[in-house]
Amino acid sequence: MRTITFDIDRFDGNRAWTQSYSFEYAPGLTVLASLFLIKEKQDATLNFTASCRSAICGACAIRVNGNSLLPCDTRLDDALDQWKSDKLHLSPIGNFPVVSDLMVDWSDKIERLRRAKPGLHARKEFTAETGCRQSPAELALIINQWDCILCGCCASECNKLSDDSKDFLEPFVFTHASRYAHDSRSADGMLHVKDMLSNGLWKCLHCMECVSKCPKGIKPAGDIAAMRAMAVAHGNTDGPGPRHAAAFRTDLENTGRLNEVKLVPRTEGMVQAATERMGFTLRMLERGKMSVTEVTELYLTDNKPIEGIEGLRKIIRSEGTPK
Amino acid sequence: MTRKFAFFPGCVLDSAAREARMATEAVAARLGIELVEIPGWSCCGASHVQDIDPNAALAANARNLALAEQLGLDVLTACSTCALMLRTARQELLNGRKNDINKVLAQAGLEYKGTAEVSHILWLLADTAAEWGPQVKNPLRKVRVASFYGCHTVRPPQVMTHESHLDPHSMETVITACGAEPVLIPDRLKCCGFHAVFPAEPTAHRLTASAADDAKKGGADCLLTPCPLCQLQLDMYQPDARKTEGKGGDTPVLHLTQLVGLALGIDREKLGLSRHIVSTESLLAKC
């Protein structure tokens, strides 16, 4: 008999422990069906949430070996094959307070979701009589984001959120803001982006955990990038985030290559670069990362333009570049 | 082995991470891998340009790929963010953007056809480890190495398809081929913080200190990364991270090809091992 073991993180409100459950392997089980098997046959006190069992309600998200997924949409065979083991460690999704065992508390997350102002504030020309018509091309811009089922998988391993959630929001909040900001029926996309700017829009680390973990193929990191572009287009160009991105864009057009020496003053301003980064600069010079001559030359002049720079400039300046 | 690639070095291999270029070229030469630098390659956008001008980022990378195609070769990078940017652009181009971007490229006399694949030197070295393993002259038997993959080496899996993003092994394959002992640390698939070091500096410092400390606690002699941006973050900013977090500070951080170069017996000077902020001397004493 092939035996499968789930080591499950338990929590009863006071005490936390890990409990092992073993059961006989059966082909065709999902991870969620395995959990129901354990609850029905072995331990009725094991708590987890689940509803639709078809990956459309988002209630059952958990972590398997530290990685979030929907157990209703994950075949046990696939999980065992992924980890090349008949023993799996199940725990609640990360970056959420735990209520009991695999159940997490969403109440604070819903409050944070309100910062995206999730709801359509339609353009004035739309009325109850005419409705809010949208072309297929306009719908295509946001249709993927509408698949969000608020399962929380994108937030579970987000490296920024794990470090500090005070100055950053859950990736699904950014996705919700973006889907209204980029909705052709919205009166003012910036209505949804404004509060994202003050809640860490430029603090995303680009770790790509959210894109990797979303069971619906949504790309919250892409939504963050799209809202950054919208914010900059609306004149929100101040701050280290937008200035850093602008420095790369400037170099791309000027010479085709990054000017590392100008990057810091362009991002932080000359005063901060010359004072707070002095230790860093001296360290770089001392260890031979860059020479004084090289630094001076790069600061006073620039990189030599790449071969074909005129062509590159034409390409990236081109009005023909699709918007 | 004889292999030939269109080489996309990326900006940092020509500046602060020049030692990564030295090591990559030295290892390639030793293993018979021919690297033909793409003439006129430009910055990939570094995962920043798309934040303010997504079309410019896509068009610049379409140009990079079109230039590589003129060489009739697949692309090889030694930077994970460059690999992600180029592979993302390739995916977008092949999924509906090729025709409109080609109208723009035509202004510079270029055309993107979609023939060139984009690979990472980590994948090449891992996939061919059995071939080059016998060339290891100096097996690093006393060295314990903690791998630090770097986000863009494995994520997102829709673009970085080489191996499982949840449980990758390519780094450990290369470390083992070098005769060294892999050390699996909890932070091996975590972010280094590099791409947000200015807007989210405290977070970046905490991530850097954590990785350096993790390696030390695991008994590793160094961190090893296939991404020069991770190396820059974990090495250059480790003293700052030490100051704010009280952890790390003395964990050497090697580029992937530096470790391979040491194992192949390549002259240490050619691997740029003195160009590190955190001294590599204690590690080199064991090599």
Side-chain angles (χ1 to χ4, degrees), chain A residues 9-25:
Chain A
D9 285 351
R10 307 286 311 268
F11 179 62
D12 65 4
N14 294 306
R15 194 170 67 95
W17 74 102
T18 301
Q19 194 162 340
S20 278
Y21 298 95
S22 293
F23 55 95
E24 191 177 344
Y25 169 81

Side-chain angles (χ1 to χ4, degrees), chain B residues 4-32:
Chain B
K4 195 171 175 180
F5 292 94
F7 183 44
F8 185 89
C11 298
V12 297
L13 259 66
D14 270 348
S15 44
R18 207 166 292 146
E19 68 283 353
R21 184 179 183 122
M22 294 161 67
T24 299
E25 290 179 346
V27 166
R30 177 65 63 92
L31 298 181

Side-chain angles (χ1 to χ4, degrees), chain B residues 19-245:
Chain B
E19 68 283 353
R21 184 179 183 122
M22 294 161 67
T24 299
E25 290 179 346
V27 166
R30 177 65 63 92
L31 298 181
I33 303 166
E34 194 177 336
L35 300 178
V36 183
E37 186 166 338
I38 300 170
W41 62 269
S42 78
C43 172
C44 70
S47 104
H48 290 295
V49 171
Q50 84 280 355
D51 285 348
I52 54 170
D53 194 346
N55 289 321
L58 178 61
N61 283 325
R63 175 183 172 277
N64 282 325
L65 293 169
L67 289 171
E69 285 181 350
Q70 288 184 339
L71 298 173
L73 299 169
D74 285 334
V75 178
L76 189 75
T77 74
C79 169
S80 302
T81 295
C82 292
L84 175 60
M85 293 298 105
L86 292 168
R87 288 175 69 91
T88 301
R90 182 170 194 269
Q91 210 171 65
E92 285 180 31
L93 291 164
L94 295 179
N95 284 312
R97 297 295 303 274
K98 193 169 93 169
N99 291 342
D100 57 32
I101 290 290
N102 265 337
K103 286 179 197 151
V104 179
L105 290 183
Q107 296 175 43
L110 292 167
E111 184 190 359
Y112 175 72
K113 297 189 178 75
T115 52
E117 297 277 353
V118 179
S119 194
H120 192 300
I121 194 156
L122 165 66
W123 305 340
L124 176 66
L125 290 172
D127 288 350
T128 58
E131 282 179 55
W132 58 264
Q135 290 189 58
V136 168
K137 286 184 186 166
N138 177 36
L140 309 171
R141 291 200 183 92
K142 292 181 192 161
V143 183
R144 304 187 80 223
V145 181
S147 59
F148 189 92
Y149 275 78
C151 300
H152 297 171
T153 313
V154 289
R155 290 190 294 268
Q158 297 88 338
V159 183
M160 306 311 274
T161 52
H162 182 77
E163 60 188 324
S164 164
H165 67 291
L166 301 176
D167 189 24
H169 293 286
S170 55
M171 289 286 284
E172 284 68 30
T173 300
V174 174
I175 292 166
T176 306
C178 290
E181 182 187 345
V183 179
L184 303 184
I185 58 169
D187 276 6
R188 72 197 261 274
L189 296 174
K190 289 273 166 61
C191 179
C192 68
F194 181 83
H195 288 296
V197 70
F198 294 106
E201 190 173 15
T203 292
H205 282 348
R206 284 192 285 269
L207 293 170
T208 295
S210 172
D213 189 50
D214 225 17
K216 205 171 176 180
K217 280 186 183 150
D221 298 299
C222 67
L223 279 162
L224 181 74
T225 175
C227 177
L229 307 183
C230 292
Q231 198 279 342
L232 288 176
Q233 175 65 31
L234 297 173
D235 183 45
M236 288 191 315
Y237 289 99
Q238 210 180 129
D240 300 308
R242 163 92 208 170
K243 240 180 240 171
T244 58
E245 305 309 312

